[in-house]
Amino acid sequence: SYCSQLTGSGLSGFSSMQNLRLLDLTACDALSDAGLANVSTSLSNTLHHLSVSECPCVTDRGLGQLHHLRSLRTLDLSKGTQ
């Protein structure tokens, strides 16, 4: 895993990064639906590109939270989620 120590609470720090346009969370084994919800609400107006490829703990419920990302242009789900 590239970011095995990154958790949902760690992702809450992204809320202060209002210029963040691209976020690659590929193979983050600890990324959960709650963490993805944090990203979605924190970066709702700025994030353009998101990768959650190879994130085994992200489910359809977490992906459903991405509707908050109003500026999202690309979403990488390659290699699937559960």
Side-chain angles (χ1 to χ4, degrees):
S1 170
Y2 298 110
C3 52
S4 61
Q5 302 300 316
L6 185 61
T7 64
S9 59
L11 290 170
S12 64
F14 286 120
S15 62
S16 64
M17 299 180 181
Q18 292 304 308
N19 292 319
L20 187 65
R21 301 286 185 256
L22 184 145
L23 183 58
D24 187 347
L25 298 171
T26 298
C28 288
D29 294 336
L31 179 64
S32 65
D33 291 341
L36 201 54
N38 281 343
V39 168
S40 180
T41 55
S42 297
L43 301 171
S44 63
N45 293 317
T46 60
L47 196 64
H48 292 179
H49 311 281
L50 175 64
S51 176
V52 291
S53 171
E54 300 178 56
C55 295
C57 296
V58 172
T59 68
D60 289 344
R61 177 176 279 174
L63 295 176
Q65 295 298 314
L66 299 181
H67 69 91
H68 295 288
L69 295 172
R70 293 182 210 98
S71 298
L72 192 65
R73 295 179 186 156
T74 59
L75 174 63
D76 181 1
L77 299 172
S78 60
K79 298 190 182 178
T81 58
Q82 291 183 0

